[in-house]
Amino acid sequence: MLDVLTEAAANAASCEDIAAVLAAADTGTNAAAEQQRDALLAALRLRPAGTGRAQTFTGIVLGRPPASLSGVAADQMETWSAYAEAVTNSFVRGRLHHLLLVAGHGRKVDRIRGAAAGYLDAVPLLLAARKRFPGLVGATECLRWAGDLARTYNQTDLCKRVTDDTVALAERVLAAPEDETAIMADLLEGLRVQRYDITDFAERAARRYAGDVHARVGFLKLIRAEASEFRRVGIDTEIVSALLDAADADTGFRRHNLLTQAATIARDRGLPELRVRAEMALQQTDPDSLGWTRIRRPLIPPPGLFAGARAHVDAAPSLRDALWRTAQDAHPAMREHPDDVGLLDGLLRIPRTRINTAGPVQVAPPVAAADDHLVGLQVLAMDFLGHLAAHQLDHIHERFDPDEAELIGALAHDAVLPEARARTLAYAFRYFWLGEFDAAVCIALPQVEQILRQLLRWQVSILSVAKGESPGTVDQLGGLLRSMPAAGYPADWSRALELLLVDPDRGMNLRNDVCHGLIDTPPKHRVALILQAALYLLSYAHGHRTLTPPAP
């Protein structure tokens, strides 16, 4: 088995390469050889995780789910110990000593020095492997592991050897014709933790890889971390200028992303002139030039749901009652869906960045929100329910065919929606039925806010009086929606309307996007949701629904 292991390790660039050859070896009927091979495969397929004394090993053992060192049997460790003394390949020897050190098997000092020296001796072997890049990656990892061991256990002579070998490899990578920016960055990080002055290397790397703006910026940031406060201003200027120059030579979303990075760094580092330059370039970016393709798949409810929505309207004895029936007492999209949250494993779980087309500027949603996935599901459900609301409104038009006077009579309320305003809201419904959705939404949105303000003025404070030089104010739509639960309105409708109208991070944000001209005409089903919101609020004024006392 030792001969098989030695042959497998020759010219291998990684532990997995060795394991693949070892796994295919024929052990015949020799049970002892089979056990030893299984033990060696376990050692090769566990990888170091963590740093310092907290280091452990995790990975795949014999094709099973992720395993850890704690699950390895004592007889396997004895096999490792025997092979650690017998194997000639330094890479395997270093790995076995490292495993035994973390497992607490054998004399600690022997394991420390055996692991670190084995990793260091493996570096030239890995660099001479047939596969150049995997060998280079393996050599860099070996230097990192050896450095971590030597530094953690205060092995001064090994620390010096790690530093010298890392410097030599960094020189080799810089002189190579291939661009190995990630390898160089890892080597410099290894030197930095070894308390080596990496300034000269980082400056040379920034010049050597100047064609890759992200690599150049990364190396400039390494220089900045080691530089004096006085010199940092010049480095910050160089970083932002590099991003701006790269943006000028690029197009599409890459250009937009570079400008955003430049503006952010200029803002954080106190470089107002460069910040203005970046922001002006952002303002001149046409959203259509970002190079994105919007893929839409329409949400079409099953025919049975449409039939049920129609039947619900057919049961109404009058136009007014039919209008109220389009909105349920509890908003369906806001109900708890504990079983459905786990279904959002696709695109909704990808960290999302929204483009504000007024700039455009990237707007990141709150990543740490605990209910982020549930909110995504709620917005999706609202979009789905909008199709049913649009179908119900169309059916009301088919059944009652109301004229302007009939609509005004159904909508008007002396205190909440006087006749003049009811006529305005009636125009929104008539435009909706004519297919003029842009006119319908622009007319309906201010009326929703006004209806809510008139309803709330009798239950909660929505005004603040003037104080000193500060003028008095009145709550705008966002504040009004958040005041609904305190006035006795259902919290699920308050949150639904917030997501529909004013939530810029995870909601539809229709009031802001429409009124500020940030989107084109919303689709029909979303306009129906706005009209549904107006009808839901009016149903309280007309006594179709009653308030529930707010929770103490």
Side-chain angles (χ1 to χ4, degrees):
M1 208 66 236
L2 180 62
D3 292 338
V4 173
L5 177 63
T6 302
E7 183 180 353
N11 295 315
S14 68
C15 285
E16 185 53 43
D17 288 347
I18 302 173
V21 176
L22 194 61
D26 182 12
T27 59
T29 59
N30 191 325
E34 185 72 23
Q35 291 176 352
Q36 291 178 27
R37 182 175 67 175
D38 289 348
L40 291 170
L41 286 173
L44 293 167
R45 286 173 171 165
L46 286 168
R47 286 182 56 81
T51 58
R53 297 179 189 274
Q55 195 168 85
T56 183
F57 280 78
T58 58
I60 304 296
V61 179
L62 300 179
R64 294 194 294 271
S68 65
L69 185 59
S70 59
V72 176
D75 59 340
Q76 286 186 320
M77 290 192 189
E78 292 298 334
T79 300
W80 294 350
S81 181
Y83 275 85
E85 303 302 329
V87 69
T88 56
N89 183 273
S90 52
F91 188 23
V92 177
R93 186 171 67 252
R95 172 56 54 85
L96 292 173
H97 277 296
H98 197 174
L99 281 163
L100 293 165
L101 168 66
V102 176
H105 187 285
R107 290 183 70 239
K108 178 180 282 189
V109 66
D110 292 339
R111 300 305 184 201
I112 294 168
R113 297 192 67 83
Y119 286 141
L120 288 170
D121 291 343
V123 170
L125 300 177
L126 290 166
L127 293 175
R130 286 191 295 265
K131 300 177 181 178
R132 178 187 171 278
F133 183 73
L136 191 57
V137 171
T140 305
E141 284 189 329
C142 282
L143 287 170
R144 176 165 55 84
W145 293 327
D148 188 53
L149 289 166
R151 190 173 60 257
T152 300
Y153 296 101
N154 197 28
Q155 302 294 308
T156 308
D157 59 327
L158 291 176
C159 282
K160 183 179 186 306
R161 186 177 167 192
V162 168
T163 300
D164 292 344
D165 289 358
T166 306
V167 167
L169 184 54
E171 291 283 5
R172 176 172 175 166
V173 171
L174 273 178
E178 297 86 359
D179 289 343
E180 307 291 2
T181 56
I183 296 292
M184 191 66 195
D186 287 344
L187 291 171
L188 293 190
E189 178 61 22
L191 287 172
R192 188 188 67 79
V193 297
Q194 291 291 117
R195 297 183 179 179
Y196 182 89
D197 185 0
I198 62 171
T199 303
D200 178 63
F201 269 129
E203 289 176 345
R204 290 165 58 192
R207 293 192 297 270
R208 166 71 175 78
Y209 306 115
D212 183 340
V213 64
H214 299 292
R216 183 184 177 194
V217 167
F219 291 122
L220 288 172
K221 287 180 178 179
L222 286 176
I223 299 170
R224 186 185 188 280
E226 303 295 325
S228 65
E229 194 67 34
F230 175 76
R231 194 185 172 198
R232 286 182 178 180
V233 176
I235 298 173
D236 291 334
T237 301
E238 190 174 353
I239 289 172
V240 177
S241 297
L243 291 168
L244 290 172
D245 292 343
D248 290 341
D250 216 327
T251 58
F253 183 71
R254 292 190 303 274
R255 178 177 186 274
H256 176 271
N257 194 44
L258 290 167
L259 290 173
T260 301
Q261 289 183 55
T264 303
I265 296 173
R267 177 200 65 197
D268 295 343
R269 303 301 184 196
L271 302 171
E273 293 182 2
L274 290 175
R275 176 181 177 179
V276 169
R277 177 183 162 189
E279 290 177 347
M280 290 298 292
L282 275 172
Q283 289 177 194
Q284 296 161 22
T285 302
D286 179 2
D288 294 333
S289 70
L290 293 177
W292 284 5
T293 300
R294 184 180 295 276
I295 302 174
R296 292 186 181 275
R297 184 176 180 179
L299 291 168
I300 303 176
L305 289 180
F306 283 121
R310 239 183 353 262
H312 191 56
V313 169
D314 285 335
S318 64
L319 171 63
R320 175 178 289 178
D321 188 67
L323 291 173
W324 303 158
R325 283 171 175 261
T326 62
Q328 300 184 29
D329 289 324
H331 199 290
M334 295 297 114
R335 293 173 183 163
E336 293 293 334
H337 299 275
D339 297 332
D340 295 337
V341 178
L343 298 176
L344 295 178
D345 290 326
L347 291 177
L348 287 177
R349 285 195 181 271
I350 296 175
R352 298 181 297 282
T353 294
R354 183 172 58 83
I355 295 296
N356 184 335
T357 50
V361 178
Q362 295 187 60
V363 182
V367 177
D371 63 343
D372 193 44
H373 307 313
L374 178 58
V375 172
L377 183 62
Q378 290 170 340
V379 172
L380 193 65
M382 287 174 61
D383 232 14
F384 181 86
L385 293 167
H387 291 277
L388 297 180
H391 187 74
Q392 285 182 320
L393 290 176
D394 284 342
H395 190 56
I396 288 173
H397 183 241
E398 293 170 4
R399 180 183 169 193
F400 295 98
D401 192 20
D403 58 22
E404 182 178 316
E406 290 171 323
L407 265 177
I408 293 172
L411 298 172
H413 185 276
D414 290 341
V416 173
L417 195 70
E419 187 172 316
R421 288 189 173 273
R423 177 177 288 106
T424 302
L425 185 57
Y427 291 156
F429 283 90
R430 291 169 67 92
Y431 276 124
F432 178 84
W433 288 323
L434 288 171
E436 301 289 345
F437 303 123
D438 52 349
V441 71
C442 289
I443 292 172
L445 281 169
Q447 300 310 312
V448 171
E449 182 170 348
Q450 174 62 13
I451 292 168
L452 182 57
R453 184 175 287 110
Q454 294 301 323
L455 286 171
L456 291 178
R457 69 170 61 248
W458 305 103
Q459 283 91 24
V460 295
S461 173
I462 61 173
L463 299 174
S464 65
V465 297
K467 184 177 181 180
E469 296 182 357
S470 300
T473 60
V474 60
D475 279 358
Q476 303 303 308
L477 184 56
L480 295 173
L481 292 171
R482 288 186 288 273
S483 297
M484 287 177 66
Y489 294 92
D492 56 357
W493 267 94
S494 169
R495 182 59 182 138
L497 295 179
E498 195 174 355
L499 287 172
L500 176 71
L501 299 172
V502 296
D503 189 323
D505 293 325
R506 296 173 292 175
M508 298 182 193
N509 201 35
L510 290 179
R511 193 283 301 267
N512 296 326
D513 284 350
V514 170
C515 293
H516 296 305
L518 299 179
I519 61 171
D520 296 326
T521 303
K524 178 180 179 178
H525 67 282
R526 291 195 171 183
V527 179
L529 288 173
I530 295 172
L531 295 175
Q532 181 192 61
L535 293 172
Y536 172 77
L537 296 172
L538 278 174
S539 67
Y540 281 97
H542 285 281
H544 182 75
R545 292 181 175 86
T546 56
L547 294 178
T548 57

